[in-house]
Amino acid sequence: MPAIEVQRQMLPMFGSPNQGARFYNPELPQTEPFVPGHRTCAGCGPSIQYRMTSKAAGDNTILVGPTGCMYVANSSYLCTPYNVPWAHTQIGSAGSFTAGVAAAYEAMIRKGKWKGPFPNIICEAGDGSASDIGLASISGALYRNHDCLIICYDNEQYANTGIQASSRTPYGGMTTFSPPGKMVPEAKTLFPKDLARMMAAGHPHCYVATASVGYPIDLMNKVRKGLNHKGAAYMMIYTPCQKGFVYETPRSIDLGRLVVECGLYPMWEWDPAKREFDYSFRPGSMRPVSEYLKLQGRFGHLHAEHIATLQKFANAQWKMMGVELPDALLWAADAKNLSDMAAADEAVAVALTV
Amino acid sequence: MATETVKKKKVRINGCVASAQAAKYADVDVITAYPIRPYTATMIALAQMVANGELDADYIVADSEHSQLSIAHGASSSGARVFTGSSGVGVQFAYELYSPISGTRMPVQMMIADRTLDPPGDFGSEHTDALSTRDMGWLMGWSCDAQEAFDNHLLGFRIGEDPRVLLPQMVCQDGFFVSHITTDVELPDTGQVKEFLPPYKHPYPLDPRRPVSHGPQIMPEQGPPLQLERARAMEGAVPVIEQAHEEFAKIFGRKYDPWIEEYMTSDAEVVFFLQGAHGVTARYAIQHMRQRGAKVGLVRLKTIRPYPTDRVNEVLSKFAVVGVVETNLALGSVSSGGVLYAEVCGALYESAKRPLVLSFMAGMGGEAIVLKEFYWMTQKMLDAKKRGKIEKRTHWVGFEE
């Protein structure tokens, strides 16, 4: 029996005069593969992302959910927010389980056991799964180039288990595994793993992009580009966590913009055809990191020198993207010009609210 | 391309290749491989079959055994027939996945060619690798030669994919003693396999046209009914296993008792109880001991999960002494020896006429259990019978007079 050719669908891009604009876009599909009624926190960044992603993908979609908030808080037995097929997998199995789904559809369509266009296969892995325990499984799936999109919804911590540091937790970020104290006033001493770049560098045949919930149209277009790409695609998406970052609930989208405006979350795409990074995304304004940090309890313990360290880190990211630094940002990288966030004692009080 | 039609024929292959042939005859859709000796030879054979176009399957070289099993899980959840395998520490590396795969009721098939766990690094066969997963909800049993291995793979798919069962299967064979010993194997006609093994059809696959959620988070009070359901699936497999073996005999002409093989037991007073390839040596040893007047026989366990408790009770109660040959390590266990002792004694507890039970630690590290050792063990059993009680529960064979 001759092999049956696998048909693939192509999703159109959403038009928008300004990628960062927040306005009603009439092109958005009505479909809601991820419906309300789940148990995530008010203002939950990952679930806002989940809705945007699944809306962009549409109904011919299969979702894979490794253990994390988007498993535990979303899927409650006998009640499910997923209007498309969804499967839980182990936290370390993000890439591998997804690869299995993709391989099954390749084989079943080819052998005439399943008829229809190849489904969108999307894995929603938290940063703990994506940057730590499931890193090898995701690398394996990208390397083997299964036709799927693997998303790291990056809330910069293990949030589901009660806010522990992951290798995506930023320098200075307080978590229950990286608390500030006399010996470690800055709390987390390590800088985050440059995860998306690592994936682009190691798997250059894949479409790789970073995105943020602050820029919904950009995020959804990148999801569609990733799905349209024949082969594996990877996205790392900034999704603030109100519970772990300790901020006012309605400010999730604001944080999603500020993190980009402060240079702490570079937005880029890796073009697998040209084999180059596209750094053309520019936020509406550039700001010092303190404007982002001061909204979050997790940075409440930082001293001037730590804020300066983070500003230097942000400035390096701007340079990497080819952006010329305004004097204000150079000035903000000098601890002499900055003031402490709070005293260490107060930081402990903040920690108790986590 | 579909599997080539092959008329029924005799070939000389080893256990690993027999397993690969079985996967080919079952027309598997997804294969996940990761190298570790000795099972690797199965995946080497399958890679060549796929490369030659003899088998149309997605052959995936995973990045670890953990990934191997979760790829298999994902593929099986989507409706594909999946074949995987491992040995020794590889079986352990994938440990996390055994319960989720059986819990979501995905009939993944895994071939195991046993290998001793580390330390020390040892290629030899010991059953500890697969036995350590015995309570994870997988159907499990050992083959004693390549033909039986081939047959057990087909039986495994048939039983595991039955909508009344839907459980994964571990089809085990001893490393080297089966996996790397070449024997005559009869390969069937593809028509026979088609008749025996219907296409895999999971009732609730991940299909965009019929959305389902697999494996959502539960509240503690929702746990008991789900666990009970899984336990019942295992119990419910019993009649399906028996039916499958009957149909297998009709179609392929080879009749197996699915639970227990008895050898020279009709008048036996003492018997060996074991799994897998050492049964072959045991048969020869028994012939020799019989010539010297010892009434010794063999009871070989063929399926350990689901465990045939009543059958073991009924069969072993006939004898005066049972010598369990472990070939596995259960440190600090009931007998301070192996796993099988407790399985045997548990089955015998309700017997009105309990035999004496000895545990023999033999074949450890994958060493062959030689005839001389079987003679020695027989003598220990006869001594116990004469004395009417055991000298001690566990004997480390080769370390005692």
Side-chain angles (χ1 to χ4, degrees):
Chain A
M1 197 172 59
I4 296 166
E5 202 185 328
V6 178
Q7 286 180 357
R8 286 164 215 276
Q9 51 187 4
M10 292 300 273
L11 298 161
M13 293 295 119
F14 298 111
S16 169
N18 173 359
Q19 289 201 313
R22 269 192 284 173
F23 58 83
Y24 172 69
N25 188 321
E27 293 171 29
L28 288 186
Q30 292 295 310
T31 183
E32 296 284 0
F34 178 71
V35 296
H38 42 76
R39 296 177 298 149
T40 60
C41 310
C44 168
S47 65
I48 295 170
Q49 170 276 142
Y50 220 123
R51 184 178 174 215
M52 293 175 187
T53 299
S54 54
K55 220 173 176 30
D59 294 328
N60 187 28
T61 299
I62 297 171
L63 297 168
V64 176
T67 309
C69 313
M70 291 296 97
Y71 162 52
V72 174
N74 278 335
S75 73
S76 314
Y77 185 54
L78 303 178
C79 167
T80 180
Y82 309 105
N83 262 341
V84 294
W86 168 91
H88 165 243
T89 188
Q90 306 313 108
I91 187 167
S93 300
S96 40
F97 190 98
T98 313
V101 176
Y105 272 92
E106 291 280 355
M108 292 191 303
I109 294 173
R110 197 174 61 229
K111 293 166 89 168
K113 294 183 180 180
W114 195 84
K115 288 170 186 68
F118 195 81
N120 300 314
I121 296 164
I122 302 175
C123 173
E124 287 271 4
D127 53 290
S129 170
S131 71
D132 293 332
I133 192 168
L135 180 63
S137 87
I138 293 175
S139 173
L142 297 182
Y143 155 72
R144 294 188 302 265
N145 210 19
H146 298 281
D147 201 350
C148 62
L149 168 63
I150 294 172
I151 288 172
C152 165
Y153 65 88
D154 184 13
N155 59 12
E156 305 187 330
Q157 64 202 342
Y158 292 84
N160 168 48
T161 43
I163 319 302
Q164 287 81 31
S166 81
S167 32
R168 281 297 303 160
T169 303
Y171 167 87
M174 172 184 17
T175 70
T176 57
F177 277 6
S178 62
K182 242 187 295 185
M183 306 307 287
V184 268
E186 71 271 55
K188 179 129 186 287
T189 54
L190 302 171
F191 282 85
K193 198 178 270 185
D194 200 348
L195 186 61
R197 189 176 300 278
M198 182 175 164
M199 291 316 195
H203 316 86
H205 55 280
C206 299
Y207 171 80
V208 182
T210 60
S212 164
V213 288
Y215 302 90
I217 302 296
D218 175 71
L219 187 155
M220 292 170 83
N221 276 338
K222 283 171 176 168
V223 166
R224 287 194 160 183
K225 276 192 203 174
L227 293 172
N228 287 347
H229 174 70
K230 188 182 173 301
Y234 184 86
M235 281 178 72
M236 188 173 83
I237 306 177
Y238 177 83
T239 55
C241 169
Q242 178 268 339
K243 183 176 153 204
F245 294 8
V246 193
Y247 62 86
E248 289 170 356
T249 305
R251 305 210 66 169
S252 301
I253 301 297
D254 288 343
L255 282 183
R257 295 162 76 87
L258 275 168
V259 75
V260 176
E261 291 172 348
C262 293
L264 288 169
Y265 218 88
M267 298 273 271
W268 49 259
E269 289 176 278
W270 167 259
D271 185 332
K274 292 190 201 149
R275 301 272 159 137
E276 61 186 31
F277 287 101
D278 178 350
Y279 293 123
S280 59
F281 185 97
R282 289 286 178 273
S285 51
M286 290 167 75
R287 299 168 195 270
V289 293
S290 56
E291 293 198 23
Y292 169 72
L293 304 177
K294 72 186 179 191
L295 296 179
Q296 302 170 61
R298 65 169 172 161
F299 296 117
H301 58 284
L302 293 186
H303 295 187
E305 63 195 272
H306 309 134
I307 300 169
T309 304
L310 276 163
Q311 187 63 56
K312 287 191 191 101
F313 175 73
N315 288 356
Q317 306 276 333
W318 285 124
K319 273 191 203 153
M320 176 273 295
M321 289 190 286
V323 177
E324 208 168 312
L325 286 169
D327 289 344
L329 293 189
L330 295 170
W331 182 84
D334 187 343
K336 286 201 296 286
N337 303 324
L338 302 168
S339 53
D340 294 356
M341 281 282 185
D345 289 350
E346 286 165 304
V348 172
V350 174
L352 291 173
T353 69
V354 171
Chain B
M1 205 194 302
T3 309
E4 257 175 66
T5 306
V6 182
K7 290 265 181 301
K8 194 166 151 175
K9 61 175 183 186
K10 268 223 155 66
V11 292
R12 292 210 143 178
I13 52 178
N14 63 27
C16 275
V17 176
S19 298
Q21 282 290 350
K24 177 181 134 181
Y25 274 86
D27 189 25
V28 296
D29 302 311
V30 175
I31 299 162
T32 68
Y34 187 84
I36 183 167
R37 275 177 222 268
Y39 107 103
T40 331
T42 299
M43 290 302 171
I44 293 171
L46 280 167
Q48 195 62 57
M49 290 173 191
V50 173
N52 293 351
E54 294 167 45
L55 169 64
D56 184 1
D58 268 47
Y59 183 94
I60 299 173
V61 183
D63 45 277
S64 70
E65 286 90 358
H66 188 280
S67 285
Q68 221 186 332
L69 266 286
S70 30
I71 296 168
H73 189 197
S76 186
S77 303
S78 307
R81 181 174 283 162
V82 188
F83 182 81
T84 188
S86 198
S87 291
V89 290
V91 180
Q92 307 274 302
F93 196 86
Y95 205 101
E96 188 191 13
L97 278 307
Y98 298 124
S99 181
I101 291 174
S102 73
T104 48
R105 309 286 295 280
M106 293 306 159
V108 168
Q109 186 171 104
M110 183 170 189
M111 177 271 195
I112 309 273
D114 297 299
R115 175 173 173 173
T116 308
L117 298 177
D118 291 351
D122 176 358
F123 290 128
S125 172
E126 222 179 77
H127 297 176
T128 320
D129 51 2
L131 276 178
S132 69
T133 73
R134 68 192 177 279
D135 298 325
M136 291 292 118
W138 288 54
L139 307 172
M140 180 185 279
W142 263 260
S143 317
C144 76
D145 59 33
Q147 180 72 64
E148 201 179 46
F150 179 89
D151 296 346
N152 281 344
H153 283 290
L154 293 185
L155 281 158
F157 278 124
R158 163 74 190 255
I159 296 158
E161 292 174 0
D162 190 295
R164 293 167 289 177
V165 180
L166 290 175
L167 286 174
Q169 320 103 49
M170 249 181 222
V171 182
C172 310
Q173 55 179 261
D174 292 69
F176 303 99
F177 301 124
V178 176
S179 75
H180 281 63
I181 289 182
T182 301
T183 52
D184 283 340
V185 174
E186 187 184 284
L187 298 179
D189 188 272
T190 46
Q192 290 175 294
V193 178
K194 276 206 179 101
E195 192 188 341
F196 178 69
L197 185 60
Y200 170 47
K201 205 164 166 29
H202 198 278
Y204 306 106
L206 297 171
D207 182 339
R209 287 177 293 216
R210 285 193 309 157
V212 285
S213 288
H214 286 183
Q217 181 88 5
I218 62 162
M219 301 305 283
E221 65 270 23
Q222 293 169 326
L226 292 176
Q227 302 296 45
L228 178 63
E229 212 171 77
R230 189 156 37 150
R232 284 191 176 148
M234 191 52 99
E235 289 164 20
V238 170
V240 179
I241 291 171
E242 286 171 353
Q243 190 195 342
H245 278 76
E246 275 167 32
E247 278 184 40
F248 187 91
K250 268 187 220 147
I251 294 169
F252 297 97
R254 279 185 297 281
K255 190 162 174 52
Y256 296 104
D257 184 312
W259 312 109
I260 271 171
E261 177 209 293
E262 289 188 57
Y263 180 78
M264 292 202 172
T265 53
S266 56
D267 65 338
E269 293 169 336
V270 302
V271 289
F272 288 107
F273 182 89
L274 51 72
Q275 301 193 98
H278 295 295
V280 177
T281 326
R283 287 182 204 142
Y284 284 100
I286 287 164
Q287 286 171 22
H288 301 162
M289 296 301 290
R290 286 258 167 186
Q291 280 162 13
R292 289 185 235 166
K295 287 185 172 174
V296 57
L298 166 69
V299 174
R300 181 165 67 92
L301 183 66
K302 291 200 56 205
T303 305
I304 189 166
R305 289 293 179 270
Y307 188 69
T309 311
D310 293 335
R311 188 68 196 287
V312 171
N313 179 326
E314 179 203 314
V315 169
L316 294 186
S317 293
K318 293 185 296 196
F319 311 110
V321 183
V322 176
V324 179
V325 184
E326 297 281 359
T327 342
N328 73 80
L329 191 60
L331 295 165
S333 64
V334 178
S335 63
S336 198
V339 166
L340 289 181
Y341 174 85
E343 300 267 332
V344 165
C345 291
L348 286 170
Y349 183 76
E350 287 163 15
S351 170
K353 199 178 145 291
R354 278 181 226 148
L356 299 173
V357 182
L358 294 168
S359 173
F360 292 116
M361 297 301 284
M364 304 309 293
E367 206 178 31
I369 308 178
V370 294
L371 292 171
K372 205 170 69 182
E373 289 179 340
F374 275 108
Y375 306 155
W376 185 87
M377 290 188 274
T378 307
Q379 198 53 55
K380 283 286 168 198
M381 290 198 281
L382 292 172
D383 289 351
K385 183 183 171 277
K386 201 163 157 193
R387 209 181 295 121
K389 61 176 189 178
I390 60 168
E391 180 190 345
K392 57 180 181 178
R393 279 190 207 106
T394 301
H395 293 278
W396 278 77
V397 179
F399 293 87
E400 296 172 26
E401 284 299 306

